[in-house]
Amino acid sequence: MELAYYSDYALRLVNTEEPARNKDALTSVDAVRDLFGANGQAARRATDADVTRFRSVRARLRAVFEAADGGDETLAVDLLNSLLLEFPVSPQISGHDTRDSDGKPDWHMHLSDHPSNATAGYAAIAAMGLAFHLTSYGVDRLGLCEATPCRNAYLDTSTNRSRRYCSDRCATRANVAAYRARKRLETERAAETGRSAETAQPTTPRTER
């Protein structure tokens, strides 16, 4: 499994909440289990107590994205380091479950967690995955969607560091909103110009009889 894959754990958790819309999808143990995806064994460890614990880790991960998005690289790294210290993992070489075209083990790095509960296991993988992404691409590659009121987290992997939105949907919505705003401004300016032209026209004096 590619280490970059683990950064998606952080995204999935952070984006279960939309603060600006007052929406929170992390309301049950089933929602917690869904975050693990194909890792069914880890998901089965989740209990009702993990709902509150997951929300706490989510807030800390969002703080990392907020610091990075705000340009405070040192704070982003410090916040992420605190998660790494609290939720450690053991990198291991794995290959027993995958084979290459020659039938040989497809050796790859795997993150092995030793959690006391489901939250600890998930947090360890999410933090390490985010750390790999940060050190590979840069702190400025962690962002929050600019499409109001979305603010979902995203990881920028574009070649020119140009990503500003979490999805194509948000990018389209933002572009449409910007276009409409420009058209409104053009209409207002045209109306003001027309009124100014009318005011500036000289009046024809009346002829006395």
Side-chain angles (χ1 to χ4, degrees), residues 3-8 10-11 60-69 71-84 125-143 154-157 161:
L3 290 177
Y5 164 83
Y6 292 111
S7 59
D8 288 338
L11 279 184
R60 294 171 66 181
L61 285 170
R62 174 169 280 277
V64 175
F65 279 93
E66 289 175 343
D69 189 67
D72 195 336
E73 295 193 2
T74 300
L75 177 59
V77 170
D78 287 345
L79 292 171
L80 188 51
N81 272 335
S82 69
L83 284 165
L84 292 170
I125 293 174
M128 183 60 76
L130 197 56
F132 275 117
H133 190 95
L134 184 151
T135 53
S136 297
Y137 297 101
V139 181
D140 59 340
R141 293 303 188 106
L142 279 61
Y154 65 82
L155 297 172
D156 186 2
T157 56
R161 300 173 182 263

Side-chain angles (χ1 to χ4, degrees), residues 32-200:
V32 168
R33 288 170 179 158
D34 287 343
L35 289 170
F36 285 92
N39 193 345
Q41 182 176 356
R44 285 191 289 272
R45 291 199 299 260
T47 67
D48 289 331
D50 284 298
V51 176
T52 300
R53 290 194 287 254
F54 261 69
R55 286 178 172 179
S56 176
V57 172
R58 179 180 64 187
R60 294 171 66 181
L61 285 170
R62 174 169 280 277
V64 175
F65 279 93
E66 289 175 343
D69 189 67
D72 195 336
E73 295 193 2
T74 300
L75 177 59
V77 170
D78 287 345
L79 292 171
L80 188 51
N81 272 335
S82 69
L83 284 165
L84 292 170
L85 287 171
E86 186 173 345
F87 303 106
V89 294
S90 302
Q92 294 180 349
I93 299 174
S94 179
H96 62 277
D97 55 346
T98 55
R99 300 283 173 172
D100 60 19
S101 58
D102 296 325
K104 297 179 180 180
D106 184 15
W107 301 116
H108 58 277
M109 290 300 296
H110 178 79
L111 297 182
S112 178
D113 58 286
H114 308 283
S116 56
N117 54 63
T119 302
Y122 193 99
I125 293 174
M128 183 60 76
L130 197 56
F132 275 117
H133 190 95
L134 184 151
T135 53
S136 297
Y137 297 101
V139 181
D140 59 340
R141 293 303 188 106
L142 279 61
L144 294 174
C145 186
E146 293 185 12
T148 305
C150 179
R151 303 302 283 169
N152 272 352
Y154 65 82
L155 297 172
D156 186 2
T157 56
S158 64
T159 56
N160 57 355
R161 300 173 182 263
S162 60
R163 186 167 180 178
R164 298 166 54 200
Y165 306 103
C166 69
S167 64
D168 291 339
R169 180 182 178 182
C170 276
T172 299
R173 188 171 70 247
N175 289 334
V176 170
Y179 171 79
R180 290 175 176 172
R182 287 195 302 271
K183 297 301 290 184
R184 282 197 301 271
L185 183 59
E186 291 173 1
T187 301
E188 292 171 358
R189 287 177 176 174
E192 291 176 358
T193 301
R195 287 194 295 270
S196 298
E198 291 177 1
T199 303

Side-chain angles (χ1 to χ4, degrees), residues 11-45:
L11 279 184
R12 288 203 297 269
L13 178 53
V14 171
N15 291 339
T16 58
E17 181 184 30
E18 297 181 70
R21 292 190 174 108
N22 197 29
K23 292 183 178 180
D24 188 349
L26 195 57
T27 58
S28 67
V29 66
D30 286 335
V32 168
R33 288 170 179 158
D34 287 343
L35 289 170
F36 285 92
N39 193 345
Q41 182 176 356
R44 285 191 289 272
R45 291 199 299 260

